[in-house]
Amino acid sequence: MGTSTVLHKNSVFLFELSGANSALLNDPALCAKLLKQLTVSAGLQELKSLSHSFSPQGVSIISLLAESHIALHTWPELGTGYITLTTCKEPADGFESEATALLEASFKSETVKTSRL
Amino acid sequence: MGTSTVLHKNSVFLFELSGANSALLNDPALCAKLLKQLTVSAGLQELKSLSHSFSPQGVSIISLLAESHIALHTWPELGTGYITLTTCKEPADGFESEATALLEASFKSETVKTSRL
């Protein structure tokens, strides 16, 4: 039996994109590259990854990290998508602003709304 | 280019366990079964799954759903773990309380703290 003290701090970051470019949101290679960039930006390490392309459109990718997971889901038909980073380790300084800039640039998003749990 | 209106409602549910049984937290088959039960309880559909057992202990599983993803990460040495359900579709009525009861019973958890984003 373990202790009831949670020694690791769990965080969930949610980035919601809107007004983004449909073709970019539907590009699995671009989405995969972006998740890897976000993982590096957070100072975290990817172990394994899984992706799925929906018909007629939409991409989902989930990557298992040494420090939990990161995932992306897109709706090209709506110009929307979201990314979550769930981690037991505090991301590197500046991660949130770097991630927002990366998401705006990569998908030509009008807005990126950030929330944290 | 899509519209900037987000028509789907994204939700993240976080369940944090503490005071749970170490052996149960370190059992990949039990963890996988539990994630499937939670997915069914939420009224959602699993597409693919990925798991990893850490050395010397700890289990991570992430499952891609038709409606985003569900994941589990455990720290048997601490008696802790957490589960996130990230979904673009509102889970079935009663999901949160059913999930809490399932997590308490499956891992003999002293506490299950629930948060939502």
Side-chain angles (χ1 to χ4, degrees):
Chain A
M1 290 290 292
T3 164
S4 59
T5 308
V6 178
L7 299 179
H8 45 92
K9 166 78 177 72
N10 309 320
S11 299
V12 181
F13 294 87
L14 171 65
F15 300 95
E16 295 176 286
L17 320 179
S18 54
N21 181 281
S22 299
L24 299 173
L25 287 172
N26 206 35
D27 181 341
L30 183 146
C31 292
K33 183 182 165 202
L34 178 69
L35 273 197
K36 287 183 197 301
Q37 288 175 310
L38 291 175
T39 302
V40 169
S41 164
L44 305 177
Q45 185 198 347
E46 183 185 301
L47 299 177
K48 299 175 185 174
S49 195
L50 192 63
S51 77
H52 185 78
S53 292
F54 288 87
S55 177
Q57 54 196 344
V59 174
S60 277
I61 306 179
I62 48 180
S63 297
L64 185 58
L65 308 179
E67 308 84 1
S68 293
H69 69 276
I70 187 166
L72 166 148
H73 306 281
T74 71
W75 286 263
E77 70 277 23
L78 301 173
T80 63
Y82 64 86
I83 287 91
T84 59
L85 170 65
T86 303
T87 175
C88 58
K89 183 185 167 191
E90 187 66 20
D93 282 351
F95 166 69
E96 276 191 78
S97 56
E98 203 173 308
T100 301
L102 202 53
L103 290 168
E104 282 173 352
S106 299
F107 294 117
K108 303 192 190 305
S109 309
E110 282 172 18
T111 60
V112 177
K113 183 184 162 205
T114 306
S115 331
R116 184 176 180 171
L117 192 64
Chain B
M1 291 289 293
T3 165
S4 60
T5 308
V6 177
L7 299 179
H8 44 90
K9 165 78 178 68
N10 309 320
S11 299
V12 182
F13 294 87
L14 170 65
F15 300 95
E16 295 176 285
L17 319 180
S18 54
N21 180 282
S22 300
L24 299 173
L25 288 172
N26 206 35
D27 181 340
L30 184 146
C31 292
K33 183 182 165 202
L34 178 69
L35 273 197
K36 287 183 197 301
Q37 288 175 311
L38 291 174
T39 302
V40 169
S41 164
L44 304 176
Q45 185 197 348
E46 182 185 301
L47 298 177
K48 299 175 185 175
S49 194
L50 193 62
S51 77
H52 184 78
S53 292
F54 288 87
S55 178
Q57 55 196 343
V59 174
S60 277
I61 305 178
I62 47 179
S63 297
L64 184 59
L65 308 179
E67 308 84 2
S68 293
H69 69 276
I70 187 167
L72 166 149
H73 306 280
T74 71
W75 286 262
E77 70 277 25
L78 302 174
T80 63
Y82 64 86
I83 288 90
T84 60
L85 170 64
T86 303
T87 175
C88 58
K89 183 185 167 193
E90 187 66 22
D93 282 351
F95 166 69
E96 277 191 76
S97 56
E98 204 172 309
T100 301
L102 203 52
L103 290 168
E104 282 173 350
S106 299
F107 295 117
K108 303 192 190 306
S109 309
E110 283 172 19
T111 60
V112 176
K113 183 185 161 203
T114 307
S115 332
R116 183 175 179 171
L117 191 64

